[in-house]
Amino acid sequence: HVQLVESGGGSVQVGGSLRLSCVASGDTIGRYCMGWFRQIPDKEREGVAGIESDGSTSYADSVKGRFTITQDKANDTVYLQINDPTPDDTAMYYCAADRATRCVLIPTTAKAHSFTYWGQGTQVTVS
């Protein structure tokens, strides 16, 4: 099964930019729907963006126009470009993968509990 490792988090100023990476090993991302989720303490993990193997994408309304999810199948890596962040974007960001879920349904019906494989998370702090 696939293993996921996120990186790229850190502190960023309002209006800046940041790119998160999720590197997969043990399997190819082309077999999975890939998603980015985020979570703050005492809140449910929420879907941010998803990408299907064919490149179809979906976004939460709160990030549309500011976040972009892309994939590099040759290197089994999924990215989340964060532009123009606000303090409300401060959270732990997680990469997730699943073979049965449709990532274009993030964040409506494809919730965190639908995903089988998770990375350890990377913290993003916006100030």
Side-chain angles (χ1 to χ4, degrees), residues 37-59:
F37 289 76
R38 65 186 181 187
Q39 189 171 26
I40 59 175
D42 300 324
K43 295 290 186 180
E44 288 188 4
R45 195 168 293 189
E46 65 172 2
V48 174
I51 188 165
E52 300 285 357
S53 181
D54 67 1
S56 302
T57 59
S58 66
Y59 297 92

